[in-house]
Amino acid sequence: MTLFLSSQVQAEWFKADRAIMGTAIHVELWHNDKAVADRLIQKVFDEMQRIDKLMSPYKKDSELSLINNLAAKQPLKISSELFDLIQKSINVSTLSNGAFDITFSSVGQFYDYRKRIKPTKAQVEKNLKKINYKSIKLNSSNNTIYFTQQGTRIDLGGIAKGHAVDNAIQLLQENGITQAMVSAGGDTRIIGDKGGRPWYVGIRHPRKKGKSAVILPLSQSAISTSGDYERYFIKDNVRHHHIIKPSTGDSARELRSVSILGADSTTVDALSTTVFILGLNKGMKLISELPNTEAIIIDNNGRMHYSTGLATTK
Ligand code: ADP
Ligand code: MG
């Protein structure tokens, strides 16, 4: 009894922040040994860095860039990690009737949000038909990928951060951690709780910098928020942001923010992007069909909408 108590009082929360994958990474974990905690936090950052190197569309030697350069020529053997994540992406495409589609990049690549550049009409016309997840052929017998259409490009920006957070959580769990929180931008996953209490996770107000639209008490769950306020520019009163409708190659404008709650980060990351594109009605319908998945949507009038599972517990 005494021993148990003394080991408890020594434990504390350790936390750190880092900028990786073009986003803010935050790790907090409960441990009784500072040296071990620091080492584990470093391992999480290393893992994020590894995934960025593998999946960044901006790094010329990333495996993702290799795929974009070669997969339309002949079937290309790829790592099982990318193979599996691309397979998951295609599953979400099927589920959403193509709202989520990693080949959005066939047109999406022509956006430069920092330079306020959007694709020209001619670029959209030429490349819109190359947005089609059905052109991606995965062969699980030899882990190859093949694009049946020249000019097809993929980008995992809608799912890779969730994957990174899940990998980080797995790494912590394998090292005995039972209470932790890891976030990468709008993707957060929590294991356990915060010492017998929930964590309080804020959903950013989509139009008021530094403000929360709502604060949620969470434990043992994942949440992902997709918004039109992260990467965008406004030209002629039109907001051009980074969530692209595969049917038009233009930004989706029915909503301002979508948060999805569920069990793992990879799934909710892809789903928040998906529901943003589907819009309120189709989005809520999809979420209602998925087990243990909830949504909080802010529409383009600033109104909040809760999925039925959340509405009934409020
Ligand atoms: P973030 O956390 O970076 O804000 P989101 O989860 O909101 O990311 O997803 C936005 C990212 O998803 C974009 O930056 C882009 O890489 C990718 N994306 C945009 N449109 C689509 C789409 N239709 N299908 C799949 N991924 C998309
Ligand atoms: Mg996403």
Side-chain angles (χ1 to χ4, degrees), residues 189-203:
R189 185 163 163 196
I190 294 162
I191 48 168
D193 58 21
K194 198 160 191 188
R197 291 183 191 177
W199 285 84
Y200 288 92
V201 177
I203 296 176

Side-chain angles (χ1 to χ4, degrees), residues 41 44 61 96 131 138:
I41 288 172
V44 166
D61 56 352
S96 64
I131 302 182
L138 292 174

Side-chain angles (χ1 to χ4, degrees), residues 14 36 65 70 75 83 96 102 119 137 140 224 236 256 285:
F14 293 92
V36 178
S65 294
L70 300 174
F83 189 94
S96 64
I102 55 174
K137 301 294 175 199
S140 60
S224 169
D236 302 327
R256 290 179 184 171
K285 182 166 181 294

Side-chain angles (χ1 to χ4, degrees), residues 11-23:
E12 57 182 299
W13 287 98
F14 293 92
K15 55 180 161 181
D17 294 279
R18 203 58 79 77
I20 308 170
M21 302 192 291
T23 199

Side-chain angles (χ1 to χ4, degrees), residues 99-101 104 155 157-158 161 226 231 242-244 246 269 273 277:
F100 188 84
D101 189 333
F104 82 93
D155 182 318
K161 275 188 253 168
S226 290
R231 294 210 285 152
H242 67 149
I243 303 172
I244 307 297
D269 187 9
T273 311
I277 293 156

Side-chain angles (χ1 to χ4, degrees), residues 100 157-160 162 187 224-226 243 266 268-274:
F100 188 84
I159 192 169
D187 294 284
S224 169
T225 299
S226 290
I243 303 172
T266 310
V268 293
D269 187 9
L271 286 176
S272 66
T273 311
T274 304

